[in-house]
Amino acid sequence: MTLTVPWKPNALADLRECLDLMTADGTVPGGVIAHGTFDTEPGYLASGVVAPECGDARPGPGTVYDVASLTKVLATWPLVGTSLMDGFTLDTPIRELLTGIPTEAPGGQVTVRQVLTHTSGLRADTRLDQYRHRAEPLADLICGEPLIADPGAGHRYINRGFILLGLALAHYRCQRLDELATELWQHLGMTSTTYGPVPRSAQVAPTEQRLSGGPRLWGMPHDDNAALLGGVAGHAGVFTTPADLATFATHLLTSHAADGPLGRWLAYSMRPQAEIEPGLDRGLAWILADEGRVAYHHGFTGTSLYLAPATGRYLAICTNAVYHHQDNRTRLAPLRTLALKAITDEP
């Protein structure tokens, strides 16, 4: 039985201080950090405002954020896990999960496992705009592109694979990807999680202003390629709240402790598959740290989710950092570093 481990006394205080500083210096308009263990009610640290367009509305558990690449672990990854119970296999070539993909198509040989581990060898640039006015199905176009590396040869973060995997899941299960995901989220109690677009309101965090003097993206997916797909894709496009991220994390950690289906899928996914850099490995979709004891993932818009099954702890960060800046990796590094330290530290 998993016993939850309490937070180090100053860990949450350090996170709050960092979030406050980032709000004060304009790195983010505001944000929310959800934290807890699978057997306790979630707690929330909040700072700043949702955005200037939203007046004095303060972010909180119910604020809706575009979570960008967290889509990979909120939608595509769990849908693969539930599909494994129905004949879907990790080592099946993508072409066998679709129809009409020629045997000689370079991308058709890529497996589900290689997509999840970012070792597919597919093109690194996503650029679905290059396919405008093409009549062929998108899966055919992606699979027909030359590979940039042999499948399985090494780690390279690639969105195209998750787009392809989303198309394969929809075809294999005979439902649209957003329908499959919504059924999953409703089952888990994530009632505020959805694919975009979503209606504008003071509780929906705007993101980037693409044109000087123009309106910001607000309720529309920030990711251009997800937007080209109508907001529904395997790699991006999901909107959710800090409260729903806490619900998702709690369910995964509870299932892990009880040896439930999604918990077993999480445990299997936390086996290192490819080295990213010394000290960090890629599992199935998740980044693994602390010698494989912590799984996490980031979203480009300014979001993160951290899970530590051994201690039962989780952290979820929700910000709309792209409101001001696109160089989020550097600007969010202090907060993300503190989050990883907080969830790995023993009390």
Side-chain angles (χ1 to χ4, degrees):
M1 179 179 179
T2 301
L3 296 177
T4 55
V5 178
W7 298 94
K8 210 169 184 179
N10 63 340
L12 297 178
D14 289 345
L15 284 167
R16 177 186 289 280
E17 181 181 11
C18 186
L19 182 59
D20 285 343
L21 288 171
M22 292 173 66
T23 300
D25 70 11
T27 298
V28 298
V32 182
I33 299 174
H35 60 88
T37 62
F38 71 79
D39 58 355
T40 61
E41 290 296 312
Y44 300 97
L45 310 173
S47 185
V49 296
V50 175
E53 287 88 343
C54 302
D56 59 359
R58 303 290 177 177
T63 304
V64 177
Y65 288 90
D66 177 346
V67 295
S69 279
L70 285 192
T71 297
K72 295 178 175 71
V73 294
L74 288 178
T76 309
W77 170 79
L79 287 174
V80 170
T82 57
S83 298
L84 292 176
M85 294 177 271
D86 187 32
F88 198 95
T89 73
L90 293 178
D91 297 312
T92 299
I94 287 290
R95 67 170 177 268
E96 295 183 17
L97 301 172
L98 295 158
T99 56
I101 305 295
T103 304
E104 66 275 11
Q109 65 180 299
V110 171
T111 67
V112 175
R113 185 188 303 274
Q114 289 162 348
V115 168
L116 291 174
T117 58
H118 293 279
T119 59
S120 65
L122 292 165
R123 274 178 49 184
D125 61 320
T126 311
R127 293 296 308 277
L128 299 189
D129 61 300
Q130 294 181 342
Y131 300 141
R132 282 177 171 151
H133 312 302
R134 296 285 297 271
E136 304 94 320
L138 180 58
D140 292 27
L141 292 166
I142 293 176
C143 287
E145 295 277 359
L147 300 178
I148 61 171
D150 291 335
H155 182 274
R156 184 190 293 263
Y157 191 81
I158 295 175
N159 282 321
R160 279 173 162 254
F162 275 79
I163 293 171
L164 194 57
L165 187 50
L167 297 171
L169 281 164
H171 186 269
Y172 183 81
R173 294 183 53 175
C174 302
Q175 277 185 275
R176 297 199 319 260
L177 182 63
D178 57 329
E179 293 175 341
L180 292 169
T182 297
E183 288 179 2
L184 170 72
W185 297 326
Q186 292 293 326
H187 174 71
L188 298 182
M190 299 166 65
T191 56
S192 298
T193 304
T194 183
Y195 271 101
V198 299
R200 294 182 179 185
S201 79
Q203 282 304 309
V204 175
T207 55
E208 188 181 357
Q209 185 182 40
R210 293 282 170 82
L211 297 174
S212 178
R216 290 185 179 276
L217 294 175
W218 191 358
M220 298 294 292
H222 178 267
D223 184 275
D224 290 339
N225 296 287
L228 283 172
L229 293 174
V232 180
H235 74 299
V238 167
F239 288 73
T240 192
T241 64
D244 269 13
L245 286 177
T247 297
F248 182 67
T250 298
H251 185 93
L252 290 179
L253 295 173
T254 300
S255 184
H256 186 279
D259 196 32
L262 275 179
R264 289 194 296 272
W265 176 228
L266 176 62
Y268 186 81
S269 298
M270 290 181 68
R271 298 177 185 178
Q273 302 284 326
E275 184 182 65
I276 300 173
E277 60 184 59
L280 291 181
D281 293 294
R282 180 72 65 178
L284 298 177
W286 298 90
I287 301 170
L288 308 180
D290 195 30
E291 299 181 343
R293 290 187 288 267
V294 169
Y296 69 94
H297 207 289
H298 299 315
F300 184 80
T301 46
T303 58
S304 298
L305 178 61
Y306 302 81
L307 304 173
T311 58
R313 298 188 299 208
Y314 66 84
L315 279 171
I317 298 173
C318 288
T319 76
N320 49 337
V322 290
Y323 186 93
H324 293 307
H325 313 283
Q326 280 234 352
D327 56 339
N328 288 333
R329 182 174 298 182
T330 300
R331 292 179 180 273
L332 291 173
L335 184 62
R336 288 172 168 172
T337 298
L338 277 177
L340 186 58
K341 182 177 186 297
I343 204 163
T344 56
D345 275 352
E346 296 295 333

